[in-house]
Amino acid sequence: MKVSFEVAYDQGTASLKEDEEITNFPFFGVIDGVSGIYHPNDGPMMFSGMSGGQMVCHEIQLAVLNAKKTNTVLEVIEEASRVVRHRTKKKGIPFDHTELMPGASFVLAKIGADETEIIQSGDCFAIVLFSAGEIVVTPNKLYKHDALLHEAVEKLMLKHRRDRVKMWQEFIPIFSAMKRRHTNNPSLAEGFGLLNGQDALQKLLWKHEFATKSISTMVFFSDGFVPFEKTVCEKRLGKRFLEVYAEEGLTGILERTRRAEKEKRAKSHIDHSEATAIVVKISH
């Protein structure tokens, strides 16, 4: 078995780098860190010089680096969650206010000789292309939550005549209430998993194992790599992503996303989102 990979990253117009990639064989994946909610003018709560989102990414990366050969992806995620929980508690952040807690969406795979394990949470994605042509794609578990946020931002941008400062002032309480209600809440349709130290994440993980010999290609990417509206149907998303990748590569996919973002800039909270993608190819 031979494994090769390529990575694409662009910070967009995000003020902080809070995406990270994992390319430590046998582990591959993408992490999308999220700091506790803050006003852009104030900046996030810091953890030893890192934003909350950066800290969570760092702890997941450390858990991967320190993993034993026998550790599963779930065990790696559980270790990262344990450390994040400890660091969050030390800051005095109340666990009933999830909007203040740092966290991360992620997708992480471990390629074994016989089985490949993939675990996903939030709005990081995996596309698995099998040698026989079948495609498996993870769902966007934040879609319903984010759809509500997108609607609120559009209305406020219109109300405040594209003034993002005024939009954020009115949006933050709305954002906070939604995130507090939906984060790691499996009882709601809008509920989504976020690695932030809460045990409830376990109930919202997408977990699958596939025969390694059946896999041709795996793609892992953060939500910023494709337009939000394209993630509503995972089957169409996976098929189209692979088609464009075959013709234009990761650069072409990202350029298409940037053009789509430019068209909607007047209704969005940001010009260009941070974006990360990894393509892993397995030769047998």
Side-chain angles (χ1 to χ4, degrees), residues 22 27 30-31 47 52-68 71-89 95 101-108 119 121 194-199 201-202 205:
I22 292 173
F27 293 97
V30 167
I31 316 166
F47 292 75
Q54 291 170 338
M55 180 272 290
V56 179
C57 288
H58 175 71
E59 296 302 342
I60 295 174
Q61 288 177 312
L62 277 183
V64 168
L65 287 172
N66 294 328
K68 299 177 181 178
N71 285 143
T72 65
V73 174
L74 184 59
E75 288 170 337
V76 170
I77 292 304
E78 288 175 339
E79 173 59 17
S81 183
R82 182 190 67 79
V83 178
V84 169
R85 178 166 57 248
H86 173 71
R87 297 193 68 172
T88 300
K89 284 183 176 180
F95 271 48
M101 299 171 67
S105 292
F106 67 89
V107 57
L108 183 61
I119 295 184
S121 181
L194 195 71
L195 194 158
N196 63 1
Q198 292 182 307
D199 292 333
L201 168 66
Q202 295 277 354
L205 295 175

Side-chain angles (χ1 to χ4, degrees), residues 11-251:
Q11 190 168 331
T13 55
S15 59
L16 294 168
K17 183 183 188 300
E18 292 189 319
D19 274 13
E20 291 292 346
E21 70 271 3
I22 292 173
T23 55
N24 303 90
F25 182 84
F27 293 97
F28 291 91
V30 167
I31 316 166
D32 182 358
V34 183
S35 294
I37 291 178
Y38 62 94
H39 192 283
N41 290 342
D42 299 330
M45 179 182 290
M46 303 301 287
F47 292 75
S48 301
M50 296 179 286
S51 71
Q54 291 170 338
M55 180 272 290
V56 179
C57 288
H58 175 71
E59 296 302 342
I60 295 174
Q61 288 177 312
L62 277 183
V64 168
L65 287 172
N66 294 328
K68 299 177 181 178
K69 290 183 178 180
T70 56
N71 285 143
T72 65
V73 174
L74 184 59
E75 288 170 337
V76 170
I77 292 304
E78 288 175 339
E79 173 59 17
S81 183
R82 182 190 67 79
V83 178
V84 169
R85 178 166 57 248
H86 173 71
R87 297 193 68 172
T88 300
K89 284 183 176 180
K90 282 187 67 175
K91 280 288 188 178
I93 301 173
F95 271 48
D96 58 345
H97 280 270
T98 53
E99 77 279 9
L100 301 177
M101 299 171 67
S105 292
F106 67 89
V107 57
L108 183 61
K110 181 182 181 183
I111 301 173
D114 298 317
E115 300 288 331
T116 291
E117 177 189 10
I118 303 176
I119 295 184
Q120 177 261 0
S121 181
D123 55 0
C124 283
F125 299 85
I127 300 172
V128 183
L129 173 63
F130 297 92
S131 302
E134 181 187 358
I135 300 172
V136 171
V137 186
T138 57
N140 182 358
K141 295 187 176 182
L142 257 79
Y143 189 85
K144 291 182 179 180
H145 168 81
D146 281 349
L148 294 173
L149 297 181
H150 280 253
E151 181 181 1
V153 168
E154 285 188 19
K155 289 180 179 178
L156 292 175
M157 287 290 281
L158 180 62
K159 175 181 177 180
H160 295 295
R161 299 180 181 179
R162 303 182 184 180
D163 187 326
R164 283 194 179 134
V165 174
K166 292 181 179 179
M167 181 278 291
W168 272 106
Q169 289 173 343
E170 192 169 347
F171 178 60
I172 284 177
I174 298 170
F175 187 17
S176 297
M178 285 190 188
K179 191 173 182 183
R180 186 185 314 133
R181 180 169 168 77
H182 298 161
T183 303
N184 291 329
N185 189 343
S187 66
L188 295 177
E190 301 88 353
F192 62 89
L194 195 71
L195 194 158
N196 63 1
Q198 292 182 307
D199 292 333
L201 168 66
Q202 295 277 354
K203 298 178 181 179
L204 290 157
L205 295 175
W206 184 96
K207 297 182 286 186
H208 281 276
E209 290 186 359
F210 305 102
T212 300
K213 65 181 181 181
S214 69
I215 299 172
S216 169
T217 303
M218 295 186 291
V219 185
F220 309 114
F221 56 99
S222 61
D223 63 316
F225 214 85
V226 295
F228 168 71
E229 62 273 11
K230 301 294 185 183
T231 67
V232 64
C233 176
E234 56 263 32
K235 289 184 179 180
R236 285 200 299 268
L237 170 64
K239 184 175 183 293
R240 186 57 180 155
F241 191 108
L242 293 173
E243 288 174 347
V244 178
Y245 173 73
E247 296 292 330
E248 304 174 23
L250 291 176
T251 300

